Amino acid sequence: MSLSLLKKLVRYRTITSAIANAAVTWGILIIAPLGLFAVIACTLGVFIGSFVIGNLSDRALLFLIGKSDRQNSISDRTSIGELSPQEKIKKLLK
């Protein structure tokens, strides 16, 4: 999976999660005897909080995925480059 597609999926997941959390909160708060401003403020707070936390956690995940990919490619290149052809094939087949 390409990195750009992964970034798009992460962005859509974050937005969808924030909207779903806001919708559930709105549904719960609209039943309670609160003013309209309180319902809107709480719903926006949940939406923004969900979006920010989801975005930060997804950025951390993408950073860790990128870091591990770079680490794996560097270690594969250095360890395979020093082996004989037979050992290279054995290592690649593992």
Side-chain angles (χ1 to χ4, degrees), residues 1-2 22 34 36 41 60 77 86 94:
M1 182 181 302
S2 70
L34 297 172
L36 183 61
R77 272 188 269 136
Q86 293 83 9
K94 283 184 182 179

Side-chain angles (χ1 to χ4, degrees), residues 3-70:
L3 191 59
S4 64
L5 178 62
L6 185 62
K7 285 182 181 181
K8 285 181 184 178
L9 288 173
V10 164
R11 184 180 316 128
Y12 293 143
R13 189 202 65 79
T14 302
I15 292 171
T16 304
S17 172
I19 290 172
N21 286 337
V24 168
T25 304
W26 183 81
I28 291 170
L29 289 176
I30 203 70
I31 296 169
L34 297 172
L36 183 61
F37 179 74
V39 170
I40 292 171
C42 287
T43 303
L44 284 175
V46 168
F47 174 78
I48 292 169
S50 297
F51 184 79
V52 168
I53 296 300
N55 198 2
L56 289 175
S57 62
D58 291 338
R59 284 179 186 262
L61 179 65
L62 287 174
F63 174 75
L64 292 174
I65 288 172
K67 190 174 183 179
S68 71
D69 285 345
R70 278 185 262 127

Side-chain angles (χ1 to χ4, degrees), residues 76 80 83 85-94:
D76 286 346
I80 290 176
L83 300 176
Q86 293 83 9
E87 291 172 334
K88 287 179 187 179
I89 293 171
K90 286 180 185 176
K91 183 162 179 107
L92 290 173
L93 292 176
K94 283 184 182 179

